[in-house]
Every structure is written in structure tokens, then in C-alpha cells.
């Protein structure tokens, strides 16, 4: 024990006792008692002798003694006080001496009062807490602990490091006046589980295990025995435990053809063993499987028949077996209480709390509880039998499942085995297939409707154009005709949305970079989303090029942004952040996603994220369906997201939606990286077309729709063309034979009997090089893939009078222009 008190140079005489502090209360009381005793003694002398001389001599002696004491008190005042106040430090030293824990006491001024030897060994005798030589931020942590102790009475700091030793500190405010701090430093000892196992097996616990029939050995990562109890040594080698240490565990064991384990020295007549392998690592801090495999281990061996296969062991074996099976299995007792359930059963039953409920009836809907409880009681009390019960689980009330029940015997008390198939993955795949089939069917229906509707719109728009040629602005009918034409064009826009959803619209793909498209659209988006919504644009570097129609891609971004705007304005208060990101997705990242839909490849992605109200789960499955909308009547057509879906799919991309109610929605669009060369542009040298240059050309018009054929015939005839009409492909071939050669064939694609492509191929056999102009409401790219005919032109429906005239002029001009 060290202190900071210094010794004085002069000592108090040994023949005088240490005087108490005269200011102390006890000293004053003692002085009064002494004075009273002296007065009483003087009175007794006077009464006894009756003479003043002895009394005077007694008083003179007392005065002399008092004078002598005062002289010594003035000469040694500091020593008197120190002798009076200095405690007995030997007692404190004995109380605080500890070989591991370091202790120190400081006063309010931060001065060291005392410290034990362990503190001096750790930190030295010249430092005072909290200014100790600690690594890192240890000094700050210790100072904070001291401040906490002065304020709250106690404080602490863990994980301090000094000279390679990790220590924990505890600080406590002590003393009668609470004016001292007691500092306690305790080194953190690392628990060596392997060493403890070695000591346990070599001591009484190892002998106790042997008496219970357990043969145990601790082995190193290399499989060598570190320690063993006497039961293991006797059975494995017929020797003492010390004689097996250092040898390979495998040398004492063998396995037969059924993989049963025996001791090698016992031969085939030996008793089969059950082996348990327990890694000697801290399970809370060691999660790496490789580290667990490389750690020391405790091996415990017991005889297979040591337990006699009582009912408890049989039940345990059955539970272990059921836990390894991929089928959902569980057991109940005769009262219907759960005894056990494997992981597959827990997943299939939708148990998310992590613990089994008391009864199987707690897993099903209220209406099925009684039927399940009766089935369990019947199988538990009767003969061994099995049956199936149709039930509805509580977490999936709309999907009935079949639960199989079987009575178990031979394990003591009766038990019931419950079986339920984990069909969560199967159900998910079924939903995906059903959704894909439904979307495909809707797409085919939408494409067919759009094609037929385009024929109607072509006739309406064409007749409006012909009527406008006879009326000038200012006429009474001009505005009405213009209004009809405007509404027809609006209807044509809706049909284009349907064709986009069904992936049958005409695209003009180009090789482009997604950041360029997003940047070109940003200014438009800022005007669309308004001032209450913040637009953020983020781009990854080194994105791969993609092949898509830039105009259609801009429409995708605009449609998603408008939907995000509406979702954020629906919040209270309205507003939020719209974030558009472009990301580089590698094939490794795609494989890490483990997606069943997205093939492993390199992608360039667009992510449109909003902080809106989100999409409910029951709505997410229908958001891409045409005409489905959650907006109020008159505020949405339901074609925005269906158009996005069709454009992305037709461009070879993939679209996914992730949404959480109240937190927002993210649309992720993945386009495969284009690795080809430049896009082959079907470009021609510009040809200046004279309106009257081809006025005497002969045209064969083949169209099965009467109203479309009539409009096209009138429009082309007004331009001076000689037009011969036919109602289908077969009729067109007859007109080609009967009416002589033609300069151009204008034909529909889809017709009864003989369609347009079939008719065109037969015409080319008769007249090679005959120019052909196809009209159709389907996508040009789809038609070109199905039509192997060169020098074919295309006119999408619906079209106006001016558009069909320009298309005919362009086809004639291209036919007259020599090719390179």
C-alpha cells in the first residue's frame, strides 16, 4: 500500500502519549473531566489535612506539568496532528491486496490517496487515475467514468487496453463525506472452452460421465486426443486415460457396411456406438462454419442399446428423424397439444412468431378448429389409422390445404403425427404462371381489339379528311368535322397504348445510353411533377448501351413519373421526392438476386422511386392490366402502366415493382446490354417527290374492310391515281391477271382466305420486283419478322388521307430509285 503522507523530521517523545486534537469534541469532553477530577482531588486533600501548604504544593505541581506539556506541544505541533490523524494503513493494505484486481483511491482534487501493489505493477507509481497509459480512446472513457461517479455515485468503462492487457474499470464514490473515488481495474480473462474441457475430463466430472455410461474425449482440430475420461480409455485401449492422449481418435474406431460405429479393439462382436460431436467454440461469437470445423471438439460415445429404448428415447429418435425430413411433420400428445414440429411444418403453417402455439387448432381459421380437434382426438384414442382433413390455414384463408393425420403407437403414450405439405414455393410459382398467362391473354385480346378498332378509326379519320377538303375554315360544319377528327385521333392514341401493352406497336429501336434519355426527359418531368415534389437524378458510371426506341423509352419514364406524382400528392401533407437512377447491373449481381424471371446477364437499369402512399399488395398483381386504375372516375384511363409494361417487354427488357404501403414505390426496369454493332438503319437517299409525278400510276388496292377500302380508294383517286380494288388476296390475284400490270400494290395484311403476305409472294412470282405497300394495325417489326419479302413498305393504321398519299408516293419513288 502506497500513500502520499510524509514523515516529520522530529518524533514525539516515546515517554509521552500522543495528544488528541484539542478541537475535537471528544478531546473537549476529556479535558473537562480531567479538570473536574483535579479540583475534586484538591478538595479532598484540604478536607483530609486541613492545611493550606499541601494544597498549594499540589496545585504548583499541576501547573508545572501543564507548562511542560504546552512547551512540547509548541515544539512538535505538526507531529502531534499527524500522529492524531494518521490511520492504520496496515489494515487497509491487507484489505486491498489482490493479485489480479488493481485498486486506487483519489480525493476531490484528483490526488492519489493510496493504491495497492497490483495497481503499481500495471500502471506504475507516478500516474493517477484517470490519466493512465491506456490505448486509443481509453483515457477519455476512463475520465467520463470518473465524472459519472462524482455525479451519480458510480461509473464504469469496458474494453480498456494497457500494455496488451484488456481491462474493465469500475469507479465508486466513497467516504463518510462522499469525497473520495475508489477505482477498480479488473483484467478481462478469455475463457478457453477447450482447456476447460480437458480439465473436466481429467477430473471428477470425467469420472462421473464414465459412471453414467458416457465415454468422452477432447480432440484437436487434427483429430488427435487432447484428453479423455477413464471410461473412454478403458473401452478404446484397455488402458489408463493418459495412455491415449496424443493418439489419433480414428485409430480407435471403425465402421461397418451400415455405417455403424464400433471400437476397433472389440471387433465385430462389439456394441455399436452413437457418436456426438460438439465443437469447443463460443457459439455466441463464432458463426463461421470453417472456424467451427477447425476448432477443438468434444466427442461423446454411448452404446446404442444403453438406454434400453424406453419411451423417452424412442420419442427423441422420432423427433430427430422428423427434423431431417423436408416434409412438414409435427406430433401431438393424446390431448392434442403440440410435442414437436420440424422446420418444414413451421414454414407451411405460416408460423412467424418462432414458437409453436399450444394446439393445432390455433393454426387454422375459426370455422375449422372443431373439425381438426375432433380428428386429433379420434386418432389419439383409437386404433392406429390415418386420414386426410381439408383445412384453411389462418395465414392463407383463401387457399385450402390438406392435413394428414396418423396415430402413432409403440412409444409409450399415444401420439398423433400431423403432415402438411410446404407448398409456399409451389403457390408462388402458380401465381406467377397464372399472372403471366393472364397478361398474355389480355395482351392478345387487347391487340385484336386495337386492330379492329384501327380499321374503324381509319374510316372515320379518312372521311373527315375528305369532308374537310370540301369545307373551309369558317363554314358551319368545319368545326364539327374538325372536332370529330380530333376525337378520332385521341381514340387512335388509346389504341396505340393497347398495342404497346400487347407488344404489337411499331418501334424504331436505336443503340442508346440510358443516362442520355433520362437527361433529355428531366426538364419535361420538372414541369409535370410540380413544385411540391423534388426531382433527383443519379447516374452510375460505365453503363452498357441498350437497344430501344428513344421516343417510347421517354414515354415509359413520363408515365412512371406521372403515377409517382399522383401517389405523392395523395399523401398528407402532399409532396415528396422523385428519384430516377440509372444503374449498372452485372451478371454476378443478377445471380445473387436468385430471380426466377431475370436471366443472368449484364443489364443497364432505370429505377424510378417515389415516397408516396405505396401500392397495397392486393393491387400490385393488377397494376399492369389495361384499364385497371385506382384513380377516381375521369382521372385515369388505366393504360399508363400497361403501356409501360408493353414497351419494356417489346424492347426485350424486364420490369419489377417493389412497394410498401405508406413508404413508397420503386419501379425497376432492366434492359440487357447491347453487344452488337451499330444498328442497321433502313435509310434511303432522300428523294424529292413531285405530287404530280406519279399521278398516272396504276395501283391495286386490296382491303377486306369496305369502309377502309372506300376511303383509301377515294383518297388515291383524288390524287390522279388509277385504282383497282379487290376484297381479299384471292381477288387481288385475279385482278392482277385480268387488269394488266400495276405500278404498286397497296394491301392489308390480315384478310380472310388468302392474307396479304401470301398474296404478295404469289404476285412476286409473276412479276418480280413489284413494289408492295402493306397496311396494318400490328407492329411493323413483328410483320417484317414473319414476312420474308424484300422491298416491302409499311403504313400503320389508322392513317389519314395525307398519310396514305405520302406513303404511296414514297413507295413509288423508292421503286424508281436505283439501289447501291
Amino acid at each position: 500500500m502506497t500513500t502520499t503522507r510524509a514523515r516529520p523530521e522530529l518524533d514525539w517523545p516515546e515517554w509521552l502519549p500522543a495528544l488528541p486534537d484539542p478541537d475535537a469534541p471528544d478531546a473537549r469532553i476529556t479535558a473537562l473531566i480531567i479538570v473536574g477530577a483535579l479540583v475534586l482531588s484538591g478538595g479532598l486533600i484540604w478536607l483530609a489535612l486541613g492545611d493550606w501548604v499541601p494544597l498549594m504544593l499540589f496545585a504548583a505541581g499541576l501547573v508545572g506539568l501543564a507548562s511542560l506539556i504546552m512547551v512540547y506541544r509548541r515544539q512538535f505541533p505538526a507531529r502531534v496532528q499527524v500522529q492524531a490523524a494518521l490511520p492504520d494503513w496496515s489494515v487497509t493494505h491487507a484489505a486491498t491486496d489482490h493479485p489480479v484486481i488493481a485498486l486506487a483511491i483519489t480525493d476531490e482534487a484528483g490526488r492519489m490517496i493510496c493504491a495497492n501493489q497490483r495497481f503499481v505493477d500495471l500502471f506504475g507509481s507516478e500516474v493517477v487515475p484517470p490519466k493512465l497509459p491506456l490505448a486509443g480512446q481509453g483515457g477519455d472513457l476512463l475520465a467520463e467514468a470518473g465524472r459519472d461517479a462524482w455525479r451519480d455515485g458510480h461509473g464504469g468503462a469496458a474494453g480498456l487496453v494497457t500494455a496488451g492487457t484488456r481491462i474493465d474499470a469500475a469507479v465508486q464514490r466513497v467516504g463518510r463525506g462522499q469525497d473520495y473515488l475508489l477505482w477498480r481495474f479488473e483484467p478481462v480473462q478469455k475463457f478457453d472452452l477447450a482447456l476447460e474441457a480437458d480439465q473436466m475430463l481429467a477430473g471428477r466430472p470425467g469420472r462421473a460421465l464414465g459412471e453414467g455410461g458416457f465415454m468422452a474425449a477432447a480432440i484437436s482440430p487434427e483429430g488427435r486426443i487432447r484428453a479423455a475420461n477413464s471410461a473412454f480409455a478403458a473401452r478404446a485401449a484397455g488402458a489408463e486415460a493418459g495412455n491415449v492422449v496424443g493418439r489419433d481418435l480414428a485409430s480407435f474406431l471403425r465402421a461397418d457396411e451400415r455405417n455403424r460405429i464400433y471400437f476397433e479393439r472389440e471387433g465385430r462382436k462389439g456394441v455399436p456406438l452413437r457418436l456426438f460431436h460438439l465443437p469447443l467454440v463460443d457459439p455466441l461469437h463464432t458463426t463461421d462454419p470453417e472456424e467451427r470445423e477447425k476448432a477443438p471438439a468434444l466427442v461423446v460415445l454411448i452404446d446404442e442399446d444403453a438406454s434400453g429404448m424406453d419411451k423417452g428415447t424412442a420419442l427423441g429418435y422420432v423427433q430427430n428423424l422428423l427434423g431431417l425430413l423436408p416434409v412438414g411433420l409435427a406430433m401431438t400428445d393424446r390431448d392434442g397439444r403440440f410435442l414437436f414440429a420440424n422446420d418444414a411444418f413451421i414454414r407451411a403453417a405460416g408460423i412467424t412468431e418462432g414458437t409453436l402455439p399450444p394446439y393445432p387448432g390455433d393454426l387454422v381459421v375459426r370455422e375449422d378448429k372443431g373439425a381438426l380437434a375432433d380428428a386429433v382426438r379420434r386418432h389419439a384414442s383409437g386404433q392406429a389409422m390415418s386420414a386426410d382433413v381439408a383445412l384453411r390455414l389462418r395465414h392463407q384463408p383463401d387457399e385450402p390445404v390438406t392435413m394428414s393425420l396418423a396415430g402413432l403407437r409403440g412409444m409409450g403414450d399415444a401420439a398423433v403425427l400431423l403432415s402438411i405439405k410446404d407448398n409456399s414455393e409451389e403457390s408462388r410459382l402458380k401465381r406467377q404462371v397464372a399472372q403471366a398467362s393472364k397478361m398474355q391473354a389480355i395482351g392478345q385480346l387487347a391487340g385484336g381489339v386495337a386492330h379492329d378498332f384501327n380499321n374503324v378509326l381509319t374510316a372515320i379519320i379518312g372521311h373527315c379528311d375528305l369532308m374537310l377538303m370540301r369545307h373551309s375554315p369558317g363554314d358551319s360544319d368545319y368545326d364539327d368535322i374538325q372536332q370529330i377528327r380530333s376525337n378520332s385521333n385521341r381514340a387512335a392514341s388509346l389504341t396505340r397504348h393497347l398495342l404497346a401493352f400487347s407488344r404489337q406497336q411499331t418501334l424504331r429501336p436505336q443503340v442508346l445510353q440510358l443516362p442520355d434519355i433520362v437527361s433529355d426527359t428531366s426538364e419535361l418531368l420538372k414541369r409535370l411533377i410540380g413544385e411540391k415534389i423534388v426531382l433527383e437524378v443519379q447516374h452510375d458510371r460505365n453503363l452498357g448501351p441498350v437497344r430501344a426506341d428513344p421516343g417510347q423509352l421517354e414515354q415509359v419514364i413520363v408515365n412512371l413519373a406521372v403515377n409517382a406524382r399522383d401517389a405523392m400528392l395523395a399523401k398528407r401533407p402532399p409532396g415528396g421526392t422523385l428519384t430516377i437512377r440509372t444503374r449498372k447491373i452485372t451478371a454476378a449481381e443478377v445471380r445473387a438476386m436468385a430471380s426466377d424471371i431475370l436471366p443472368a446477364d449484364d443489364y443497364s437499369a432505370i429505377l424510378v422511386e417515389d415516397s408516396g402512399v405505396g401500392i397495397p399488395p392486393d393491387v400490385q398483381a393488377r397494376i399492369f392490366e389495361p384499364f385497371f386504375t385506382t384513380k377516381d372516375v375521369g382521372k385515369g384511363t388505366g393504360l399508363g402502366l400497361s403501356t409501360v409494361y408493353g414497351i419494356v417487354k417489346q424492347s426485350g427488357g424486364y420490369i419489377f415493382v417493389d412497394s410498401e404501403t405508406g413508404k413508397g414505390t420503386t419501379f425497376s426496369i432492366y434492359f440487357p446490354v447491347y453487344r452488337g454493332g451499330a444498328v442497321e438503319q433502313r435509310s434511303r437517299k432522300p428523294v424529292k417527290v413531285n405530287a404530280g409525278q406519279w399521278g398516272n400510276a396504276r395501283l391495286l388496292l386490296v382491303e377486306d374492310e369496305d369502309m377502309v377500302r372506300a376511303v383509301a380508294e377515294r383518297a388515291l383517286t383524288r390524287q390522279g391515281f388509277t385504282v383497282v380494288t379487290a376484297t381479299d388476296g384471292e381477288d387481288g390475284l385475279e385482278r392482277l391477271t385480268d387488269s394488266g400490270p400495276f405500278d404498286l400494290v397497296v394491301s392489308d395484311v390480315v384478310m380472310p382466305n388468302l392474307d396479304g403476305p401470301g398474296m404478295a409472294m404469289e404476285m412476286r412470282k409473276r412479276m418480280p420486283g413489284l413494289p408492295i405497300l402493306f397496311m396494318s394495325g400490328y407492329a411493323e417489326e413483328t410483320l417484317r419478322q414473319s414476312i420474308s419479302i424484300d422491298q416491302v413498305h409499311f403504313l400503320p393504321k389508322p392513317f389519314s388521307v395525307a398519310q396514305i398519299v405520302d406513303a404511296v408516293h414514297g413507295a413509288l419513288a423508292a421503286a424508281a430509285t436505283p439501289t447501291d
Side-chain angles (χ1 to χ4, degrees):
M1 175 65 62
T2 62
T3 65
T4 59
R5 304 286 181 166
R7 293 180 177 272
E9 297 180 358
L10 299 177
D11 292 333
W12 185 259
E14 296 180 358
W15 55 273
L16 286 177
L19 294 180
D21 187 355
D23 296 330
D26 293 342
R28 297 189 185 98
I29 294 174
T30 303
L32 292 176
I33 293 173
I34 293 173
V35 171
L38 293 175
V39 173
L40 180 60
S41 299
L44 292 175
I45 293 174
W46 183 77
L47 291 175
L49 300 177
D51 189 1
W52 289 97
V53 176
L55 182 60
M56 294 299 293
L57 292 175
F58 177 75
L62 291 178
V63 173
L65 179 61
S67 300
L68 182 61
I69 293 173
M70 293 301 296
V71 169
Y72 276 98
R73 185 175 179 84
R74 292 190 185 96
Q75 187 175 359
F76 305 100
R79 182 55 185 167
V80 171
Q81 294 177 3
V82 171
Q83 189 73 16
L86 187 64
D88 189 355
W89 291 108
S90 62
V91 178
T92 306
H93 175 76
T96 59
D97 188 23
H98 197 282
V100 177
I101 300 175
L103 299 171
I105 300 176
T106 59
D107 59 11
E108 290 181 325
R111 294 172 298 197
M112 178 72 76
I113 300 301
C114 62
N116 67 355
Q117 187 61 41
R118 179 58 179 164
F119 181 92
V120 176
D121 294 339
L122 275 178
F123 307 107
S125 60
E126 303 297 328
V127 293
V128 180
K131 298 178 181 180
L132 302 180
L134 300 174
Q137 302 294 324
D140 298 336
L141 296 176
L142 192 59
E144 182 66 22
R147 289 190 291 269
D148 293 342
W150 282 120
R151 183 183 66 250
D152 303 327
H154 57 83
L160 307 179
V161 178
T162 176
T165 302
R166 184 173 177 269
I167 59 175
D168 292 341
V171 190
Q172 184 178 358
R173 191 172 177 179
V174 296
R176 291 183 179 179
Q178 295 290 301
D179 48 1
Y180 296 93
L181 288 184
L182 172 62
W183 304 78
R184 178 187 179 95
F185 302 93
E186 184 173 359
V188 179
Q189 301 294 328
K190 184 177 181 181
F191 181 73
D192 192 340
L193 189 59
L195 181 60
E196 291 291 328
D198 295 347
Q199 297 175 355
M200 179 193 72
L201 293 179
R204 292 186 59 185
R207 291 192 297 273
L209 287 174
E211 293 172 358
F214 295 90
M215 295 156 284
I219 61 173
S220 66
E222 295 78 21
R224 296 191 176 276
I225 299 176
R226 295 163 49 108
N229 66 350
S230 56
F232 177 90
R235 287 285 299 273
E240 295 294 330
N243 296 330
V244 299
V245 175
R247 298 177 60 181
D248 193 355
L249 175 67
S251 64
F252 297 105
L253 304 174
R254 68 173 181 85
D256 62 5
E257 61 276 5
R258 298 173 59 185
N259 291 326
R260 292 182 301 183
I261 301 175
Y262 298 82
F263 280 119
E264 178 68 32
R265 66 184 297 269
E266 293 180 351
R268 291 188 174 273
K269 296 182 180 180
V271 179
L273 305 171
R274 295 184 64 196
L275 186 147
F276 300 89
H277 182 274
L278 177 64
L280 296 176
V281 294
D282 187 354
L284 297 178
H285 299 90
T286 306
T287 58
D288 187 0
E290 295 184 1
E291 185 176 351
R292 294 176 63 89
E293 292 177 1
K294 296 178 181 179
L298 177 66
V299 174
V300 179
L301 298 166
I302 62 172
D303 294 336
E304 280 280 5
D305 58 349
S307 60
M309 283 297 291
D310 59 14
K311 62 180 182 180
T313 303
L315 181 60
Y317 285 167
V318 172
Q319 290 182 357
N320 293 333
L321 176 63
L322 297 184
L324 299 175
L325 296 178
V327 182
L329 297 172
M331 285 194 300
T332 67
D333 57 17
R334 65 168 60 250
D335 297 326
R337 290 181 175 271
F338 271 119
L339 297 175
F340 167 80
N342 63 2
D343 294 338
F345 185 91
I346 291 175
R347 289 194 302 269
I351 301 174
T352 58
E353 295 84 0
T355 57
L356 277 172
Y359 297 95
D362 297 327
L363 302 175
V364 300
V365 298
R366 182 166 53 88
E367 293 80 1
D368 295 340
K369 289 180 181 290
L372 180 57
D374 293 340
V376 171
R377 284 194 297 269
R378 186 168 61 253
H379 285 76
S381 58
Q383 298 180 353
M385 58 181 179
S386 62
D388 295 335
V389 180
L391 302 168
R392 290 168 296 168
L393 296 176
R394 187 174 58 185
H395 77 288
Q396 286 182 336
D398 297 332
E399 296 184 10
V401 298
T402 300
M403 182 177 291
S404 300
L405 296 89
L408 298 180
R409 298 295 182 270
M411 296 185 299
D413 293 337
V416 178
L417 182 67
L418 307 178
S419 173
I420 182 174
K421 183 179 180 182
D422 183 8
N423 58 354
S424 57
E425 183 67 17
E426 181 179 352
S427 300
R428 185 181 66 84
L429 293 176
K430 285 182 178 179
R431 287 193 297 268
Q432 289 182 352
V433 172
Q435 179 68 10
S437 301
K438 180 175 68 173
M439 297 294 285
Q440 183 178 4
I442 293 175
Q444 292 177 350
L445 176 63
V449 170
H451 176 266
D452 294 339
F453 196 39
N454 275 334
N455 286 329
V456 177
L457 292 175
T458 300
I460 296 174
I461 294 173
H463 282 96
C464 287
D465 290 342
L466 294 174
M467 293 175 66
L468 288 174
M469 293 179 183
R470 301 192 302 269
H471 295 77
S472 59
D475 292 350
S476 59
D477 297 333
Y478 182 85
D479 293 338
D480 296 336
I481 299 172
Q482 192 69 35
Q483 186 66 33
I484 295 173
R485 192 178 189 282
S486 176
N487 290 329
S488 300
N489 288 330
R490 183 181 177 187
S493 176
L494 294 178
T495 60
R496 283 194 295 272
H497 288 312
L498 288 176
L499 289 173
F501 169 74
S502 60
R503 289 173 263 175
Q504 296 175 2
Q505 68 170 343
T506 301
L507 297 180
R508 298 290 186 267
Q510 300 177 13
V511 177
L512 48 84
Q513 288 285 347
L514 293 182
D516 297 338
I517 300 298
V518 174
S519 299
D520 294 342
T521 317
S522 298
E523 292 301 323
L524 174 61
L525 295 181
K526 291 179 182 179
R527 293 193 295 270
L528 285 176
I529 63 179
E531 298 179 353
K532 294 183 179 180
I533 299 174
V534 179
L535 176 64
E536 293 184 359
V537 179
Q538 302 174 7
H539 298 301
D540 271 3
R541 294 185 177 182
N542 301 323
L543 267 73
V546 301
R547 188 170 185 266
D549 187 326
Q552 298 295 332
L553 201 53
E554 290 178 358
Q555 183 179 353
V556 167
I557 298 174
V558 169
N559 287 358
L560 293 178
V562 169
N563 279 356
R565 176 200 64 187
D566 296 341
M568 288 184 284
L569 293 180
K571 291 197 313 180
R572 292 294 177 269
T577 301
L578 172 63
T579 304
I580 302 179
R581 298 186 178 93
T582 58
R583 286 190 56 196
K584 177 182 179 181
I585 308 296
T586 63
E589 293 174 329
V590 175
R591 283 190 290 268
M593 296 178 188
S595 175
D596 298 329
I597 301 176
L598 195 63
D601 199 355
D602 294 333
Y603 294 88
S604 292
I606 298 178
L607 279 67
V608 181
E609 180 181 353
D610 67 69
S611 57
V613 295
I615 304 175
D618 57 331
V619 177
Q620 289 187 31
R622 302 187 59 191
I623 57 174
F624 294 121
E625 296 180 7
F627 303 112
F628 175 79
T629 180
T630 57
K631 298 178 182 178
D632 297 336
V633 178
K635 294 186 177 180
T637 62
L639 293 175
L641 290 179
S642 64
T643 302
V644 169
Y645 178 85
I647 294 174
V648 172
K649 289 296 184 180
Q650 191 173 354
S651 302
Y654 302 86
I655 182 169
F656 303 94
V657 58
D658 297 305
S659 182
E660 186 174 353
T661 305
K663 294 187 177 180
T665 304
T666 300
F667 284 90
S668 304
I669 304 173
Y670 297 86
F671 291 105
V673 173
Y674 181 72
R675 295 184 175 87
V679 178
E680 296 181 2
Q681 301 288 345
R682 294 186 297 272
S683 60
R684 306 179 181 90
K685 296 180 180 180
V687 178
K688 185 176 181 181
V689 179
N690 187 358
Q693 182 178 357
W694 310 105
N696 56 356
R698 300 185 75 249
L699 308 180
L700 175 59
L701 176 62
V702 186
E703 172 62 60
D704 61 316
E705 291 287 343
D706 296 339
M707 51 186 175
V708 178
R709 186 174 64 251
V711 170
E713 181 182 7
R714 290 181 59 184
L716 296 174
T717 302
R718 289 179 62 91
Q719 295 296 320
F721 294 108
T722 300
V723 180
V724 178
T725 61
T727 58
D728 55 30
E730 295 179 351
D731 191 17
L733 289 177
E734 293 179 0
R735 295 291 185 270
L736 181 66
T737 303
D738 299 340
S739 302
F742 293 96
D743 298 309
L744 178 67
V745 176
V746 182
S747 173
D748 191 13
V749 175
V750 180
M751 294 183 294
N753 299 326
L754 183 62
D755 61 3
M759 179 196 69
M761 286 187 290
E762 185 63 29
M763 287 182 175
R764 285 284 178 87
K765 294 178 182 179
R766 303 179 186 181
M767 297 181 60
L770 176 64
I772 297 174
L773 173 62
F774 279 125
M775 305 177 296
S776 179
Y778 291 109
E780 176 184 358
E781 187 173 358
T782 303
L783 293 176
R784 290 189 181 276
Q785 292 175 357
S786 61
I787 300 174
S788 57
I789 304 175
D790 297 332
Q791 297 181 0
V792 173
H793 304 274
F794 182 81
L795 175 63
K797 294 180 180 179
F799 51 79
S800 64
V801 169
Q803 288 173 336
I804 189 173
V805 171
D806 292 342
V808 169
H809 284 162
L812 291 172
T817 303
T819 59
D820 296 334

